[in-house]
């Protein structure tokens, strides 16, 4: 059996993603300090709503924050994963340009529109055009250290968003949440890290369960964006197909498809339910009842519950578990979790042409 214990197993992780997780608390603290230090040149009462523009690893940070605070946010916060800003975004919309590399074309296109529309804008980035050109145009920058994979910089992209919401008074009492979330991250590193043997390490055990399966990850409310994070981490770190869906919506369509699941897919499908003790009572029932209906059509079902008090802590509890499990799954599959060659190749191909605004079809 392929082992997950011992320093030699980390040799396959050429970019040091697993070792990098050990720095999660430092990443949390540095990100918090950087976001607290950045000067915000507009008064808080100007902001009527927020749009966070980003893609992939830089967008999921925003999904997680919106998911954690959806009941406490005082203004609408939207995540934009597109070239174009929606029409309603205007001079009182805070546009957060979230791009780890600072070179993602969708985010840069949105950035130029935000400037055209005179939106208050701020960037969270390690550099690229966002960190140079847009900074020279007066866009404040929350700096992120370069040299990481965007998805490995999740805390560095996420914590600044929470700090900004707090500083702009767009959601109440976020400081205790941040403190508890930091402890959650510290505890995950000490209980799930590579130094903990598989017999005592839930993330390694989860990776073992997921071997030779196609994970179908379901979330709801606070865990809905976590399901998407797990899916993305299984895709990018472990290089496996994985799918995420959200309750209650999936009860209105997706469940029907399980009855026609082809046998080879049934044998591979491993359903992971991401539960949270504070989910709506009907959502709890939906998890139970939907599981009953679907279980005969999949190979296995795992149910995992978030632990913690505050929303951010409960969320990061699951995010850390999924992140570690996806990295260990890569090792079990004998693949290098770091490089994402498909994404790089696609970006290079796209970069061969300009990505400015397309001609207006109506013009
Ligand atoms: O994980 C990845 O590498 C991607 O999902 C990137 O985050 C995505 O392509 C966007 O790039 P960036 O985060 O640099 O804006």
């Amino acid at each position: 059996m392929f082992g997950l214990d011992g320093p030699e197993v980390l040799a396959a992780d050429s970019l040091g993603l697993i070792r990098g997780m050990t720095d999660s608390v430092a990443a949390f603290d540095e990100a918090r300090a950087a976001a607290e230090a950045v000067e915000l040149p507009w008064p808080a009462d100007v902001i009527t709503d927020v749009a966070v523009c980003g893609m992939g690893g830089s967008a999921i940070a925003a999904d997680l924050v919106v998911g954690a605070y959806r009941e406490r946010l005082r203004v609408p916060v939207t995540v934009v994963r597109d070239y174009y800003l929606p029409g309603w975004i205007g001079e009182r919309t805070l546009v957060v340009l979230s791009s780890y590399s600072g070179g993602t074309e969708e985010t840069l296109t949105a950035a130029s529109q935000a400037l055209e529309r005179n939106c208050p804008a701020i960037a969270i980035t390690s550099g690229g055009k966002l960190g140079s050109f847009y900074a020279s145009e007066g866009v404040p920058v929350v700096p992120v250290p370069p040299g990481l994979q965007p998805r490995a910089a999740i805390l560095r992209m996420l914590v600044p968003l929470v700090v900004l919401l707090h500083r702009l008074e767009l959601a109440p009492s976020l400081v205790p949440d941040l403190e508890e979330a930091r402890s959650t991250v510290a505890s995950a590193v000490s209980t799930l890290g590579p130094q903990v043997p598989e017999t005592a390490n839930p993330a390694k055990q989860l990776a073992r369960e997921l071997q030779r399966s196609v994970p179908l990850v379901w979330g709801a409310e606070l865990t809905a964006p976590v399901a998407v994070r797990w899916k993305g981490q299984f895709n990018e770190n472990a290089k496996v197909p994985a799918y995420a869906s959200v309750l209650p919506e999936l009860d209105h369509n997706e469940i029907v498809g399980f009855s026609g699941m082809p046998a080879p897919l049934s044998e591979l499908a491993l359903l992971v339910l991401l539960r949270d003790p504070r989910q709506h009572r009907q959502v709890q029932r939906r998890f139970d009842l939907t599981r009953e209906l679907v279980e005969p059509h999949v190979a296995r079902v795992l149910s995992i519950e978030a632990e913690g008090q505050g929303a951010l802590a409960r969320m990061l509890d699951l995010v850390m578990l999924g992140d570690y499990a996806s990295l260990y799954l890569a090792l079990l599959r004998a693949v290098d979790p770091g490089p994402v060659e498909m994404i790089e190749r696609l970006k290079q191909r796209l970069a061969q042409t300009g990505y400015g605004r397309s001609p207006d079809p109506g013009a």
Side-chain angles (χ1 to χ4, degrees), residues 55-58 98-102 104 149-151 236 340 343 347:
M55 300 302 301
S58 296
S98 174
S99 171
Y100 176 76
S101 62
T104 296
Q149 283 290 312
R151 63 192 184 282
E236 291 190 58
V340 280
I343 296 177
K347 284 185 176 178

Side-chain angles (χ1 to χ4, degrees), residues 34 38-39 121-127 130-132 134-135 138-144:
V38 73
E39 195 186 330
I122 184 165
I124 306 173
T125 186
S126 70
L130 255 193
S132 53
Y134 289 99
V139 173
V141 174
V142 179
V144 181

Side-chain angles (χ1 to χ4, degrees), residues 19-318:
R19 275 186 298 277
M21 295 283 289
T22 314
D23 300 330
S24 295
V25 176
F28 192 105
D29 291 343
E30 285 166 24
R32 184 173 175 182
E36 280 167 351
V38 73
E39 195 186 330
L40 304 180
W42 0 265
D45 59 4
V46 165
I47 310 296
T48 53
D49 51 276
V50 180
V52 186
C53 303
M55 300 302 301
S58 296
I60 192 69
D63 289 332
L64 291 165
V65 171
V66 174
Y69 295 119
R70 68 203 181 290
E71 287 164 42
R72 281 155 70 184
L73 286 168
R74 294 193 171 118
V75 299
V77 180
T78 309
V79 184
V80 179
R81 286 178 165 87
D82 257 319
Y83 287 90
Y84 289 131
L85 289 182
W88 52 263
I89 289 178
E91 289 184 4
R92 300 191 67 185
T93 306
L94 171 64
V95 176
V96 183
L97 302 160
S98 174
S99 171
Y100 176 76
S101 62
T104 296
E105 60 179 49
E106 297 92 323
T107 314
L108 289 174
T109 310
S112 68
Q113 290 168 55
L115 289 196
E116 276 166 31
R117 293 188 201 178
N118 286 324
C119 303
I122 184 165
I124 306 173
T125 186
S126 70
K129 196 170 171 190
L130 255 193
S132 53
F133 174 72
Y134 289 99
S136 72
E137 293 285 298
V139 173
V141 174
V142 179
V144 181
L148 303 170
Q149 283 290 312
R151 63 192 184 282
I154 182 82
L155 294 172
R156 296 184 183 272
M157 305 303 288
L158 176 152
V159 171
L161 290 172
V162 181
V163 172
L164 286 177
L165 293 178
H166 170 70
R167 286 185 62 189
L168 294 167
E169 298 173 19
L170 302 179
S173 349
L174 298 184
V175 171
D177 264 41
L178 275 169
E179 301 297 340
E180 191 201 354
R182 181 184 187 278
S183 307
T184 298
V185 168
S187 132
V189 170
S190 64
T191 56
L192 307 176
Q195 73 288 354
V196 182
E198 186 173 340
T199 47
N201 188 323
K204 290 182 179 175
Q205 292 165 7
L206 177 58
R208 183 82 61 191
E209 301 246 30
L210 291 165
Q211 231 187 331
R212 287 181 279 280
S213 75
V214 174
L216 313 179
V217 192
W218 288 3
E221 301 173 0
L222 179 135
T223 69
V226 184
V228 179
R229 171 70 176 176
W230 278 41
K231 170 213 174 293
Q233 292 294 79
F234 291 137
N235 296 149
E236 291 190 58
N237 289 339
K239 279 87 179 162
V240 292
Y243 301 90
S245 297
V246 171
L247 282 158
E249 177 65 19
L250 71 87
D251 279 349
H252 298 272
N253 35 61
E254 188 172 323
I255 49 167
V256 186
F258 277 82
S259 59
M261 181 97 97
L265 191 50
S266 260
E267 283 156 25
L268 291 173
L270 194 150
L271 184 60
V272 184
L273 310 179
L274 297 180
R275 305 190 62 163
D276 173 45
R278 308 222 186 143
Q279 275 153 345
H280 189 288
R281 195 172 60 89
Q282 284 299 88
V283 169
Q284 305 280 8
R285 293 189 63 226
R286 282 179 183 275
F287 267 114
D288 294 337
L289 296 173
T290 314
R291 175 185 182 152
E292 259 176 57
L293 288 170
V294 162
E295 199 153 10
H297 304 287
V298 297
R300 281 207 61 193
V301 183
L302 299 177
S303 181
I304 299 173
E305 187 156 276
E307 287 181 16
Q309 292 302 312
L312 193 63
R314 302 201 311 283
M315 183 168 260
L316 289 183
D317 175 57
L318 291 178

